[in-house]
Amino acid sequence: MHRHRDLCERAVDPLEIAAGLEAHGVTDRTAARYRHRDVFSLAEELYARVPAVTGEPARAVPPAPVRDTETRPVWSLLALLPGAACTATAVVLKLTEGALGGGVRLTVTLVGALVAFLGLGLCLRSGPLRAPEGRSSAAATLYVGWLLGYVLYGQALLDQVLSGGPEGPWALTPAPLLGLALAVAPAAWCAHLFSVHAHRGLTGSRALEEFAAGVRPLLFGTVALFLCVLSGLLRLAELGYGGGGTLVAAAALGVLLLLARLLTVHGYPEPANTGLAAACAVEAVAPALILAGRLPGLHVLARPVDAVIEAGGTGAVPAIACGAAALGLLIHATVALSRASAHTTA
């Protein structure tokens, strides 16, 4: 009671105390030392025994963001901007193929990319994908930039390394990047649905375990819904812009980025950065091992990468890198995002 007195004095219900205790590392085993069956039972006693702070107006329970009719159109339009910019750029390049010079086409591409990145930046600063101040880092931006760049150049890089290149122009794969840009809006809506239903569960739960049991299937459903929409958008981008790239790798990257952003938004940026860094490391190590395998006596180093490429092509490398990282983040998110403290405001 003395250690958490400030929390207990300002709490509006026992669940808020339970979420605060959980955030401070109090578990059911800790509660058992105080002869309570779980954290929520301990929180109920603290709520009953510690008087509310006097001289301050009673606070209302923060409402769940269900009817954000004022901000929802704004962040929805911002989420559509990256996909619209990439689509417009692709259409212009497709219609003017052979009519515009290389310099003009490069200018159109750079302008479209700049508008798309500006739209993405605005989308990440508002709406459900917005992380509180201090949670986003420059390292995360660098990791995401590497992963998106690998979508364009990764397979061409591996092809050149395998052939002993560089030989001739590199074959870019822009179709997956177009599909990922179109998926920003579905990602924002999936994050919004997850936040809304998690807040509903938080206000309606009477115990932390009850809340966690409801959030886990909600998280799996959100990820599955986004994966289905993303797969359709990637397929449409492939049909509209042409082949190139691996849909599995792009889909794994999309899920990885969504999970990393969800963890960052809800207060777990370190695991998100670790997952992104792990995917970048695997993608960077693959060509390095191929090159190292050409040194005398070190050919064994290239065997794992060669086996992966022989089995699934060059697209299997980013698919494994992003898929393994996404699976790790999903496992971590299943535990972290099922805590009530991940969905409460300061």
PDB file of all heavy atoms in Angstrom, residues 15 108 131 224 321 341:
ATOM      1  N   LEU A  15      -9.496  -2.465 -11.601  1.00  0.00           N
ATOM      2  CA  LEU A  15      -8.770  -2.934 -12.780  1.00  0.00           C
ATOM      3  C   LEU A  15      -7.619  -2.003 -13.129  1.00  0.00           C
ATOM      4  O   LEU A  15      -6.578  -2.445 -13.600  1.00  0.00           O
ATOM      5  CB  LEU A  15      -9.735  -3.065 -13.963  1.00  0.00           C
ATOM      6  CG  LEU A  15      -9.142  -3.671 -15.230  1.00  0.00           C
ATOM      7  CD1 LEU A  15      -8.601  -5.059 -14.950  1.00  0.00           C
ATOM      8  CD2 LEU A  15     -10.178  -3.731 -16.335  1.00  0.00           C
ATOM      9  N   VAL A 108      10.148  11.397 -62.324  1.00  0.00           N
ATOM     10  CA  VAL A 108       8.793  10.984 -61.930  1.00  0.00           C
ATOM     11  C   VAL A 108       8.854   9.968 -60.791  1.00  0.00           C
ATOM     12  O   VAL A 108       8.083  10.039 -59.822  1.00  0.00           O
ATOM     13  CB  VAL A 108       8.041  10.411 -63.144  1.00  0.00           C
ATOM     14  CG1 VAL A 108       6.717   9.792 -62.711  1.00  0.00           C
ATOM     15  CG2 VAL A 108       7.799  11.502 -64.176  1.00  0.00           C
ATOM     16  N   ALA A 131       2.817   6.331 -32.569  1.00  0.00           N
ATOM     17  CA  ALA A 131       3.443   5.917 -31.315  1.00  0.00           C
ATOM     18  C   ALA A 131       3.687   7.139 -30.448  1.00  0.00           C
ATOM     19  O   ALA A 131       4.027   8.209 -30.967  1.00  0.00           O
ATOM     20  CB  ALA A 131       4.765   5.201 -31.591  1.00  0.00           C
ATOM     21  N   ALA A 224      -4.456 -12.113 -38.998  1.00  0.00           N
ATOM     22  CA  ALA A 224      -4.983 -12.923 -40.104  1.00  0.00           C
ATOM     23  C   ALA A 224      -5.755 -12.061 -41.100  1.00  0.00           C
ATOM     24  O   ALA A 224      -5.627 -12.245 -42.321  1.00  0.00           O
ATOM     25  CB  ALA A 224      -5.871 -14.035 -39.559  1.00  0.00           C
ATOM     26  N   ALA A 321      13.799 -14.705 -43.663  1.00  0.00           N
ATOM     27  CA  ALA A 321      14.224 -13.661 -42.728  1.00  0.00           C
ATOM     28  C   ALA A 321      13.027 -12.955 -42.114  1.00  0.00           C
ATOM     29  O   ALA A 321      12.907 -12.844 -40.881  1.00  0.00           O
ATOM     30  CB  ALA A 321      15.130 -12.659 -43.450  1.00  0.00           C
ATOM     31  N   SER A 341      -1.813  -3.511 -18.930  1.00  0.00           N
ATOM     32  CA  SER A 341      -0.979  -2.312 -18.895  1.00  0.00           C
ATOM     33  C   SER A 341      -0.596  -1.839 -20.285  1.00  0.00           C
ATOM     34  O   SER A 341      -0.196  -0.691 -20.462  1.00  0.00           O
ATOM     35  CB  SER A 341       0.286  -2.589 -18.082  1.00  0.00           C
ATOM     36  OG  SER A 341       0.981  -3.726 -18.595  1.00  0.00           O
TER      37      SER A 341
END
